[in-house]
Amino acid sequence: MATLNTSTTQPALSFDPIAHLWRATFAAMACQCELLLVVDDEATAHAAATSAIDEVRRIEHKYSRYRPESIVSQINQNAGQSDAIAVDDETAQLLNFADQLFTASDGLFDITSGVLRRAWDFKSHRLPDAHLLAETVALIGWDRVDWNGARIALPTPDMEIDFGGFGKEYAADRAATRLAEMGIANALVNLGGDVRALGNRSAGADFEPWQLGIRHPRLSDATLASIPLANTALATSGDYERFIEIGGQRYCHILNPKTGWPVQHWQSVSVVSPVCIAAGALATIAMLKGETALSFLREEGVAFLAVDAEGRVASSER
Amino acid sequence: MAVIDSSSSAAKKFGSITLAALALPGVCITPANADTPPEAAVVSFKVQGYNDWQPGLDRIKVTAPALYAMAPFAGVWSIETSLVQDSVSGASPRWHSSISSASNMQDRRTAADVKVSRYFDRATVGLRASTSTEDDYRSNAIALEARMSSADNNTTWMIGAGLTRDTINPTNELVVNEKKRVTDVMIGVTQAWTKNDLVQLNLSHVRGRGYFSDPYKLVDKRPRERDQTIALLRWNHFHEASETTFRTSYRYYSDTFGIRAHTLQTEWVKPLGDRFTITPSARYYTQRAANFYFDPIYDPVIGEPFPVGKPKFSSADTRLSSFGAITLGAKLDWRIDSRWSADVKYERYEQRSGWRLGGNGSPGIATFRAQIWQVGVTRTF
């Protein structure tokens, strides 16, 4: 096992002789992240991992709402002003994608819903103040945002957008593209559970699909299913990431932007799609859709695994 | 432990969100040209029919059942094989408009080929051997082809070479055990221009030596050498709003017989709902006659058409004349379920001297029409 460097900018790289792959671990986007690279030599693995991690950090940096210079912060700081902010092409395409998600989800996926954080504090054991919750819900509404494909203006002060709903998934896809551009045919990008597979894993002389375990939503060390991934992506949205429990009722961090209240119907939804950003968005929308989630996912033509509030499993395999 | 099959989603049609995501910058590895080993075996059975006619005369009728099978093995290999049998019946090709009777012919051709491919990370190598037998014609061929993709998968290079050996024994014994040897080389490059555009250029050179004449035609004497040069330029464009793929191609053909030909083709692949795809197509072909082609015009004195003087080479085969042709067709594909699919195709071909571009077509040839139909069923395992 060779470890090159463990500083935050350099990948911590190790060779797994059994799986015959290089593993690079790093922390980004408030998550533990991992790259698995099926390559023979360390130099290639190092160069590819560095390039992919650079890309993840670039996206984290560009779209962080904590950094005042980020484009997202600039847009939010400008909320309520009459002049619109011009955005670069990449941001424009992501805003267009957000617009498509809003329309396709009948307004359930809304990048202006982050303001609900002001009412919900998942570190405390209190439900939000009803008045404050109503005020924040009133701030939500992508349909009120002035977005013309090149310039954006948020109509009221205190309104804000964030890319938390798909930023990490987007980074996983872009990192995978970087690896492919570096000539890597078989690799796995895992950014805190948002996964994009390139090719397959090596299994002796052959190649087999990557195998991803789906966490059981109620048993943190048990897996519920195994999903083979080859050139596809997987994302899971669950009610177990951040939640508070009051009087036996679980209040999770996936909040309906129309009511401000957490979703109840599903414990978790996992989606397999060609790209991670679609898988992540679809899993979140499915959580928000409740009962109609399965028909929605079937219409989208993706494979899925959903666990309802009673722990029953539904999947795209009938 | 539940297992969900993520690969089955690949065949499905994705919804608007997935399609929107695929269009995001840098999310998708641009149209992968790299061949990947097939994951499932495929068997298909098709029947193709062909018949052609000229005004007042039904000519050739062909029915050809064909079986195709492909199976992956050992992870990085695949083997393909196909078997086709043509039954040809009808009048022998009438090469001009003024013969009143036509002798009948009956022929049967059996052809088989087998191709083995080896898939590497960014390359594929394939070896194909084929054979075809008729009463009077036997052909054996072998071809080797290699494809390689760039690291970013945006560019694919192709190189191929082939050798064909034919033996000709016409029933009229005009010639016995005549031979034809053809070697060909091909190079090509495919470039993903944008996310939705693919451009391809193929160049081939074919060198043929041996018997090229038609033993059943009067005064048909062709050179024993024929070299061909072919350039093919293709452009495939996916139009997102209509989910339609437009395939357009131009082909230039030139040979040492003196024929110069141009083909312009376009087809639109359009999904109809979740299960059907319709592909209308149109093709325009125009060619200049071979140097030794003579017009099959009756002479009031001599009678039957005959070449002027005593030329070294001559032929009145319409296929060597100057003409233009238009083919219109459509194909309907039906994805019945994840295992079964079916297709039907119909094409209508019309060839006229007057449709030649940039010159007069050869005189004295009646309009030639043909239709081609095909029905097929495919099962994936």
Side-chain angles (χ1 to χ4, degrees), chain A residues 36-40 44 48 176-188 196-202 207-208 210 229-232, chain B residues 29 34-37 120-123 149-153:
Chain A
L36 305 179
L37 311 167
V38 185
V39 291
D40 289 325
T44 308
T177 301
R178 275 290 183 93
L179 295 176
E181 284 168 359
M182 302 281 288
I184 298 206
N186 300 292
L188 191 82
R196 171 79 184 269
L198 282 182
N200 295 275
R201 70 192 168 110
S202 69
F207 284 92
E208 284 178 4
W210 298 95
L229 287 189
N231 284 318
T232 43
Chain B
I29 295 125
D35 295 333
T36 50
F120 299 90
D121 262 3
R122 281 203 298 278
S149 302
S150 62
D152 62 5
N153 265 342

Side-chain angles (χ1 to χ4, degrees), chain A residues 99-107 285 289 296 300, chain B residues 16-17:
Chain A
D99 183 55
Q100 286 164 312
L101 291 177
F102 181 83
T103 308
S105 67
D106 300 319
I285 294 171
K289 283 238 170 200
F296 166 77
E300 273 290 321
Chain B
S16 64
I17 293 177

Side-chain angles (χ1 to χ4, degrees), chain A residues 52-84:
Chain A
I53 295 168
D54 282 351
E55 179 66 4
V56 173
R57 298 210 189 285
R58 180 189 71 80
I59 294 161
E60 179 177 31
H61 209 245
K62 183 170 176 182
Y63 296 115
S64 165
R65 60 193 166 84
Y66 301 109
R67 282 186 54 255
E69 326 85 82
S70 80
I71 180 70
V72 166
S73 295
Q74 287 179 44
I75 293 166
N76 292 340
Q77 284 151 17
N78 192 55
Q81 309 286 317
S82 56
D83 56 323

Side-chain angles (χ1 to χ4, degrees), chain A residues 46-156:
Chain A
H46 187 264
T50 306
S51 172
I53 295 168
D54 282 351
E55 179 66 4
V56 173
R57 298 210 189 285
R58 180 189 71 80
I59 294 161
E60 179 177 31
H61 209 245
K62 183 170 176 182
Y63 296 115
S64 165
R65 60 193 166 84
Y66 301 109
R67 282 186 54 255
E69 326 85 82
S70 80
I71 180 70
V72 166
S73 295
Q74 287 179 44
I75 293 166
N76 292 340
Q77 284 151 17
N78 192 55
Q81 309 286 317
S82 56
D83 56 323
I85 299 252
V87 301
D88 63 287
D89 188 51
E90 182 183 33
T91 307
Q93 298 209 46
L94 288 171
L95 287 170
N96 283 335
F97 183 60
D99 183 55
Q100 286 164 312
L101 291 177
F102 181 83
T103 308
S105 67
D106 300 319
L108 287 173
F109 194 106
D110 191 325
I111 61 165
T112 66
S113 64
V115 290
L116 288 169
R117 272 186 304 267
R118 296 174 196 165
W120 283 91
D121 177 6
F122 291 97
K123 288 187 188 99
S124 76
H125 260 266
R126 280 177 290 115
L127 287 178
D129 173 73
H131 182 69
L132 179 61
L133 189 62
E135 265 183 13
T136 50
V137 169
L139 287 171
I140 300 170
W142 170 255
D143 48 344
R144 293 190 291 118
V145 172
D146 180 13
W147 165 242
N148 69 1
R151 302 177 79 88
I152 185 169
L154 305 180
T156 38

